[in-house]
Amino acid sequence: MSDEDDELELFREPDEEDATEGPVRPVTGPPPGFRPRPDRRVLVVSGAKGGVGKTILATNLALYLATIGRRVVLVDAEQEGASVHTCLGVQRPGSTARSPFLDPHGGAATDPDELPITDTQIPNLRLMHGGVDEPARGARRRTTRARLRRVLSAVDAEYFVVDLGAGTSRSLLDFFLRSDVALFVSAPEPTAIDNTYRFVRAAFSRHLRDQAPDRETRRRLVERLRAMGNTPAPLDLARRLEAAGDPLADLVRAAMDGFTFRFVLNQTRLRADLELGDAMRSAVRRRFGVEIDYLGHVDYDDTVWSCVRMRRPLLVESPGTKSAKSVEKIARRLLAIDSGKGAPATARTVPPESHHDLLEVERGATDEEIRRAYKRAKDIYATDALSCYGLFDHAAMESLRARLEEAYDVLLDPARRRPYELSVFPPDPEPVAVPATDDEDEPKPPPPVITPDTEFTGALLRAVRESQGVDLGEISQRTKVGRAYLQAIEEDDFGSLPAPVYVRGFVTEVAKFLRLDEAQVSRTYVRRYKRHLEEREKHL
């Protein structure tokens, strides 16, 4: 990394090594004629802190993949004491000692610049010591995670399961964000929850920096981030930039939409623990403005402790236990996500910050559904709620609870609910029967040309819709956006549109329906709308 690039770093750990280490040497000799394939997948596991079980989970995820026939390399990239070999029940690769769990022909690194990798007696599973905590035997220096990413390209495998360890160092965040599938392990205790939220903020700041299209934009982003403490809540950053009229707000909003974070809860004991993951998802969405994906939990089980004590993998020693079955379920979900078959993100069908959005109910929610949603929200945002630890200060919590009370009162009072919903969801006009004509079978107009630099206008959205033979009523019915608003969007009738945050949601839903780039459509259309608002302010 050059000195010039380093000036744009948000923060740098004092012990972080420079990634400029020269050429990468091959690892224990890839097979003759081997070429890195694009189908190799990197699955990384990080965690809130030491002791949450990330190493145990990474070990057993790798073992599960190996047992279903995948060729797997389990990589130990922990910086503060690598211990994957202990959970697997083997000697650390590169050690001169023998273990009954190691293939007697498995080798250690013989070249000082190589990383040791060895077979195990589990078919399809090999183990690599990443050398991040201390140099491999005979090596001259520790391996940085940046170099480790490059080293993996020379290893023949279908899956790499990497135990990253805990922390928010630059190298760890980069490895986490740039992997194919990343999983974060937390636990139902305040310290772990707080560290989870800190990691989300740090990961988003790093993700946002990477979204900058050029050096000048990245420099400006870093300045804004530093002014707010380096890792602010994404929603706070977006709102401050929008209030200042800073065009970087569009980039922040797009980065929020594209941010991905998946987590599991380990060592759950109580019934409340089983509901904690979904509560954390709701709280983060409310406070940070980003979606996080909860993949499930693993019950606290003394069997896990016994397996670690005996240095035997859980899925080998006790495959029938609840904890083992939970690990297998999480592994299957990760495989589904990696293959593109995971559950799609639920589209938001109500305007952001509306009463419906606050209670997480749909427009047509019944009174009973509203009561249940209110009770759930009261539990999530209670004074001592674990899901909110480290997220809200006292004033913010009081304000949020007051808004919950107002939303509940309005939506349960028919006299207040109807006018409120009319203001948020304009009624659709009565459908008009159109007599059949002989020209219904005429060819549709050709689709307009769209490039990555296209600025979307209402007329362009109408042209795309007409080229697909879609009626506004159909879009309104599917997206729950009022037809009057859809018509105003297509006519660029900005005077009839609500606040920009609502317009952003509306055009995003339209873009999804028309199979357009959601980020590009919302960014360019809302930018034009804000220019209109600024011009109008100047003339007032």
Side-chain angles (χ1 to χ4, degrees):
M1 177 179 293
S2 67
D3 293 339
E4 185 178 36
D5 286 338
D6 186 53
E7 293 175 1
L8 296 180
E9 287 300 331
L10 202 55
F11 56 89
R12 187 182 178 115
E13 296 293 328
D15 62 342
E16 191 138 39
E17 298 181 51
D18 195 355
T20 55
E21 302 184 43
V24 178
R25 301 290 299 275
V27 182
T28 61
F34 168 74
R35 295 180 181 178
R37 295 188 314 277
D39 60 343
R40 62 181 57 242
R41 314 299 289 168
V42 177
L43 189 160
V44 303
V45 180
S46 185
K49 64 183 185 66
V52 296
K54 55 191 175 299
T55 299
I56 295 174
L57 186 58
T59 300
N60 285 280
L61 288 175
L63 198 153
Y64 176 82
L65 292 172
T67 58
I68 63 173
R70 305 294 196 271
R71 290 181 294 106
V72 183
V73 173
L74 177 58
V75 184
D76 198 335
E78 166 69 65
Q79 194 170 26
E80 302 297 335
S83 58
V84 165
H85 60 285
T86 302
C87 293
L88 194 58
V90 302
Q91 295 294 331
R92 173 179 294 194
S95 171
T96 56
R98 289 290 183 90
S99 166
F101 219 56
L102 282 176
D103 187 317
H105 301 293
T110 56
D111 187 288
D113 286 332
E114 290 181 356
L115 296 180
I117 182 172
T118 186
D119 294 335
T120 71
Q121 289 187 344
I122 300 172
N124 301 315
L125 180 62
R126 293 186 291 164
L127 176 63
M128 173 190 287
H129 174 233
V132 178
D133 63 330
E134 61 181 27
R137 181 169 61 88
R140 293 190 295 267
R141 62 175 72 88
R142 292 191 304 166
T143 305
T144 63
R145 292 189 179 101
R147 176 177 179 265
L148 180 59
R149 285 202 313 270
R150 300 193 301 270
V151 165
L152 296 184
S153 65
V155 181
D156 184 19
E158 293 178 89
Y159 275 91
F160 297 98
V161 178
V162 184
D163 176 17
L164 277 181
T168 56
S169 66
R170 184 186 65 195
S171 62
L172 187 148
L173 292 173
D174 284 345
F175 212 129
F176 188 89
L177 292 170
R178 296 169 188 175
S179 63
D180 297 300
V181 182
L183 183 64
F184 192 87
V185 184
S186 189
E189 55 186 55
T191 51
I193 301 300
D194 185 31
N195 284 345
T196 300
Y197 296 151
R198 290 172 58 193
F199 187 94
V200 172
R201 289 190 287 107
F204 177 79
S205 294
R206 190 68 181 172
H207 166 72
L208 175 61
R209 180 189 177 280
D210 289 344
Q211 302 308 301
D214 53 63
R215 178 177 175 78
E216 175 58 23
T217 302
R218 186 162 61 252
R219 183 190 65 78
R220 290 166 51 216
L221 274 176
V222 169
E223 288 179 354
R224 306 300 189 276
L225 289 167
R226 283 176 175 162
M228 295 183 67
N230 290 332
T231 60
L235 191 57
D236 290 349
L237 177 63
R239 286 173 173 170
R240 178 176 291 191
L241 295 176
E242 287 168 348
D246 193 322
L248 288 176
D250 291 332
L251 181 61
V252 174
R253 287 287 183 178
M256 290 167 65
D257 292 339
F259 181 68
T260 301
F261 180 83
R262 301 183 179 96
F263 74 106
V264 299
L265 286 175
N266 192 23
Q267 304 174 20
T268 55
R269 292 173 171 85
L270 309 175
R271 179 178 178 82
D273 295 345
L274 306 184
E275 302 170 353
L276 178 59
D278 286 325
M280 291 172 63
R281 178 195 60 79
S282 294
V284 166
R285 179 171 172 263
R286 182 66 47 210
R287 180 67 185 90
F288 290 169
V290 297
E291 298 287 346
I292 62 175
D293 192 4
Y294 174 52
L295 297 188
H297 68 277
V298 180
D299 289 322
Y300 179 84
D301 189 346
D302 284 336
T303 304
V304 178
W305 174 84
S306 299
C307 290
V308 174
R309 183 71 175 265
M310 293 185 295
R311 294 183 298 147
R312 298 281 293 180
L314 174 67
L315 295 187
V316 171
E317 187 67 20
S318 303
T321 58
K322 285 181 63 176
S323 53
K325 291 184 180 300
S326 296
V327 171
E328 291 181 1
K329 186 182 296 184
I330 291 169
R332 288 194 296 269
R333 288 177 180 171
L334 290 173
L335 283 174
I337 290 169
D338 189 41
S339 64
K341 298 178 182 178
T346 304
R348 184 179 297 182
T349 58
V350 296
E353 304 301 325
S354 65
H355 292 338
H356 302 75
D357 179 60
L358 192 62
L359 292 176
E360 297 189 30
V361 296
E362 297 299 325
R363 177 182 180 181
T366 65
D367 287 355
E368 182 58 31
E369 288 172 335
I370 291 171
R371 290 189 182 95
R372 287 200 301 267
Y374 173 70
K375 181 180 183 304
R376 176 177 180 270
K378 288 266 290 184
D379 291 339
I380 292 175
Y381 303 111
T383 303
D384 57 349
L386 186 57
S387 59
C388 292
Y389 185 78
L391 274 185
F392 299 91
D393 58 26
H394 178 73
M397 285 290 283
E398 289 298 319
S399 174
L400 181 55
R401 283 195 285 265
R403 291 176 57 205
L404 282 172
E405 295 290 342
E406 180 186 7
Y408 179 66
D409 291 342
V410 168
L411 295 186
L412 271 189
D413 184 350
R416 300 172 67 188
R417 178 174 179 173
R418 179 166 175 76
Y420 174 77
E421 289 190 338
L422 287 174
S423 68
V424 178
F425 309 101
D428 293 336
E430 292 296 325
V432 178
V434 180
T437 61
D438 294 335
D439 52 50
E440 284 185 349
D441 294 331
E442 290 185 0
K444 302 179 184 69
V449 176
I450 297 175
T451 70
D453 299 321
T454 296
E455 184 173 65
F456 280 86
T457 64
L460 179 57
L461 290 173
R462 181 191 296 116
V464 173
R465 173 178 63 79
E466 291 175 347
S467 71
Q468 297 180 12
V470 178
D471 181 75
L472 273 182
E474 184 180 352
I475 298 180
S476 177
Q477 183 178 10
R478 291 281 298 278
T479 64
K480 308 302 181 184
V481 179
R483 183 171 182 141
Y485 281 151
L486 295 176
Q487 189 169 348
I489 288 172
E490 288 195 349
E491 294 175 358
D492 285 337
D493 182 8
F494 297 141
S496 300
L497 292 175
V501 65
Y502 297 112
V503 175
R504 182 187 305 277
F506 294 164
V507 296
T508 297
E509 292 302 317
V510 171
K512 289 179 183 177
F513 185 91
L514 298 176
R515 299 185 296 278
L516 298 170
D517 185 334
E518 304 158 23
Q520 183 182 5
V521 173
S522 63
R523 181 176 62 253
T524 58
Y525 193 94
V526 173
R527 182 166 53 206
R528 294 175 56 252
Y529 180 38
K530 288 182 178 178
R531 285 202 297 263
H532 162 79
L533 295 179
E534 291 170 358
E535 290 297 323
R536 188 177 67 180
E537 289 293 328
K538 291 179 182 178
H539 292 88
L540 290 180

